[in-house]
Amino acid sequence: MAYRTIIGQQSWHFADLKEVMAKATPLRSGDMLAGIAAGSAQENVAAKLCLADVPLKAFLSETFVPYEQDEVTRLIIDGHDAQAFAPIAHLTVGGFRDWLLSDAVDAAVLARIARGITPEMAAAVSKLMRNQDLILAARKASVVTRFRNTIGLAGRLSVRLQPNHPTDDRAGIAASVVDGLMYGCGDAVIGVNPASDSVEVMADLARLFDGLIAKLEMPTQSCILTHVTTTIALIEQGLPIDLVFQSIAGTESANRSFGIDLAVLKEGHEAGLSLKRGTVGDNVMYFETGQGSALSAGAHHGVDQQTLEARAYGVARQFAPLLVNTVVGFIGPEYLYDGKQIIRAGLEDHFCGKLLGLPMGCDICYTNHAEADQDDMDTLLTLLGTAGINFIMGIPGADDVMLNYQSTSFHDQLYIREVLGLRRAPEFEAWLERAGIVDAAGRLRGEAAALPQLTRTLGLAA
């Protein structure tokens, strides 16, 4: 179906809704690389005006990736909840934006309609929003998940403790874990990206984390960020696995480039559930995403990268994850060129994920060849904290020495907690107080108070 809008004396024509969406997207290098971005600011505005008048119902009949060729499209269309959609079925994309920003919408309302919103609807409305709109609407959403603690409660912010090491050295990883715990990090997950693909190395890391958590009686969870099939193999060998990880994308062909499909993800989900290792809940999946992943795999089908990112969230919500993490600036400047584009993408991703009912976090990050710096990350951290993000990353010195990119440090989460009054997951915060790491107000007591006790418990030299 063709679309047209008129501005003054000029008429703008778009071949289909997919083109309207691409041309309405705020400028980013990935869409320019794909040859689908608006050719001018005027064309971008024309596409936005056209998109604002599109009925939400149109996204149920006009698919961007053919239904017959793509299992992600089939998942989205076949899984659509018509009853949840009913309260907003009469709206256009522009009307949906106004409704989301109105006083009539709160967390309970958003929870009721989440399954009625398709990823494409979420992406469409985000394209009509300013940054402040994305923050305001996302802040209304509340998505709470549980495994050994409770993540996503109002006024709370969790942190993934990321103790990566270039050679997977046990002592180096353990030292980073202790360092992060001393700053109150780790309630989202203690999650390591292994440098090796050896099953034996993964097994050793799983035993290391399980031992640390057990010795410290710590209410958190661990994750080895390896391929889902490797995790399934570890589970079959009887290894102590908490969360099952996988990177995912928004098209079947992009997921195939990761070596997965929906059936494999289902197998991983069922394997994680079978262990029954959660104490307060059974959300066992941890997914990571990033704008540009489908384009980098040559699997984007001419769809803009932000819409494809939202489709990845459609995959994620099928498996009730504990955590979904947009690694926003990691793929590089070919897809998000500078700090401005990274900031915008982070806000879009968080908004779309929350609107779809997902527990969104963000690796607030950039690569060293992008036109971005730590000041940009401070800005995005502040904006996402205000928007109510569920979790962020905690990395020694904000510099990942294994993956070679820049993120947020153990110190950075202290800043945003102080500015916005954000506490940790309640079970984890209570443990930190018992361990002498924080006081009753959740503030750090200092190394002298807690480190000797912690190292004695772990059998390490203080």
Side-chain angles (χ1 to χ4, degrees):
M1 176 180 174
Y3 292 83
R4 184 176 78 125
T5 191
I6 299 172
I7 304 177
Q9 301 300 311
Q10 186 166 2
S11 179
W12 298 86
H13 296 264
F14 305 98
D16 51 27
L17 187 50
K18 179 168 67 174
E19 183 181 7
V20 174
M21 290 276 279
K23 297 295 176 65
T25 304
L27 186 67
R28 62 206 58 198
S29 52
D31 291 337
M32 294 176 68
L33 179 64
I36 60 174
S40 65
Q42 291 88 344
E43 187 177 24
N44 176 252
V45 170
K48 280 181 163 66
L49 288 172
C50 187
L51 182 60
D53 289 335
V54 172
L56 290 180
K57 289 179 179 178
F59 294 94
L60 299 175
S61 58
E62 191 169 347
T63 58
F64 298 170
V65 185
Y67 180 93
E68 298 77 15
Q69 300 174 19
D70 187 271
E71 67 174 0
V72 176
T73 300
R74 293 194 292 273
L75 175 70
I76 291 167
I77 297 300
D78 296 348
H80 183 251
D81 187 330
Q83 185 175 351
F85 181 59
I88 57 172
H90 63 289
L91 295 174
T92 62
V93 177
F96 188 34
R97 172 195 174 274
D98 295 343
W99 181 79
L100 286 170
L101 297 173
S102 72
D103 292 337
V105 174
D106 59 15
V109 172
L110 290 177
R112 287 196 295 271
I113 68 165
R115 285 283 174 173
I117 302 170
T118 68
E120 290 85 353
M121 293 175 194
V125 74
S126 76
K127 296 176 191 299
L128 303 184
M129 289 180 156
R130 294 170 57 186
N131 286 359
Q132 65 173 254
D133 299 335
L134 296 171
I135 293 167
L136 177 60
R139 186 175 176 83
K140 295 180 179 185
S142 175
V143 183
V144 178
T145 54
R146 296 174 174 86
F147 188 74
R148 290 201 189 98
N149 58 29
T150 306
I151 298 169
L153 295 171
R156 305 274 176 172
L157 172 71
S158 295
V159 176
R160 170 186 161 191
L161 201 171
Q162 184 169 307
N164 292 351
H165 192 279
T167 64
D168 295 328
D169 180 74
R170 282 176 59 96
I173 289 172
S176 290
V177 171
V178 171
D179 190 20
L181 292 175
M182 293 302 301
Y183 285 96
C185 297
D187 50 344
V189 64
I190 300 173
V192 68
N193 300 87
S196 170
D197 58 2
S198 162
V199 173
E200 289 74 19
V201 170
M202 314 290 177
D204 188 50
L205 291 174
R207 286 188 287 263
L208 170 64
F209 289 140
D210 184 60
L212 288 172
I213 290 172
K215 269 192 174 183
L216 295 171
E217 299 179 337
M218 187 166 38
T220 191
Q221 41 280 329
S222 67
C223 186
I224 314 298
L225 278 73
T226 186
H227 196 272
V228 61
T229 55
T230 303
T231 303
I232 293 170
L234 293 172
I235 291 172
E236 290 174 344
Q237 293 176 26
L239 273 299
I241 299 297
D242 290 341
L243 304 185
V244 178
F245 169 80
Q246 183 56 49
S247 293
I248 57 174
T251 68
E252 178 180 344
S253 49
N255 282 326
R256 195 181 302 122
S257 76
F258 292 154
I260 62 166
D261 57 20
L262 296 179
V264 170
L265 292 178
K266 182 180 179 183
E267 184 181 354
H269 185 221
E270 290 174 349
L273 288 173
S274 72
L275 298 180
K276 297 181 169 57
R277 289 175 60 83
T279 55
V280 298
D282 62 357
N283 299 116
V284 299
M285 301 300 287
Y286 176 18
F287 293 119
E288 287 193 344
T289 66
Q291 288 194 28
S293 59
L295 176 57
S296 69
H300 65 294
H301 297 269
V303 181
D304 70 272
Q305 66 183 38
Q306 189 253 331
T307 297
L308 292 177
E309 174 74 2
R311 282 170 56 96
Y313 303 154
V315 173
R317 72 175 173 182
Q318 182 71 11
F319 301 100
L322 181 77
L323 308 164
V324 178
N325 180 32
T326 168
V327 192
V328 67
F330 183 74
I331 301 181
E334 300 87 353
Y335 308 97
L336 295 170
Y337 178 73
D338 57 15
K340 181 181 178 66
Q341 292 186 13
I342 292 171
I343 289 167
R344 173 70 191 191
L347 294 176
E348 289 169 347
D349 294 351
H350 177 249
F351 162 78
C352 288
K354 281 289 186 67
L355 196 60
L356 294 169
L358 288 173
M360 290 303 299
C362 183
D363 192 340
I364 300 164
C365 64
Y366 63 101
T367 56
N368 288 311
H369 60 310
E371 291 295 320
D373 58 28
Q374 214 64 35
D375 285 338
D376 294 316
M377 301 306 102
D378 288 349
T379 299
L380 182 53
L381 171 61
T382 306
L383 295 174
L384 287 173
T386 304
I389 197 159
N390 282 31
F391 69 99
I392 60 170
M393 302 296 109
I395 296 170
D399 181 11
D400 192 300
V401 296
M402 195 279 281
L403 293 174
N404 195 28
Y405 77 113
Q406 310 304 311
S407 184
T408 45
S409 72
F410 298 151
H411 303 76
D412 292 334
Q413 52 93 25
L414 297 176
Y415 147 73
I416 200 65
R417 292 189 194 286
E418 181 69 22
V419 169
L420 299 178
L422 299 171
R423 306 289 290 260
R424 298 168 181 87
E427 302 90 342
F428 190 78
E429 187 172 73
W431 174 82
L432 289 172
E433 187 177 356
R434 292 195 302 273
I437 296 172
V438 302
D439 60 21
R443 296 190 174 185
L444 297 183
R445 293 184 61 204
E447 182 178 299
L451 186 58
Q453 177 183 331
L454 196 64
T455 53
R456 277 196 303 273
T457 302
L458 293 174
L460 303 173

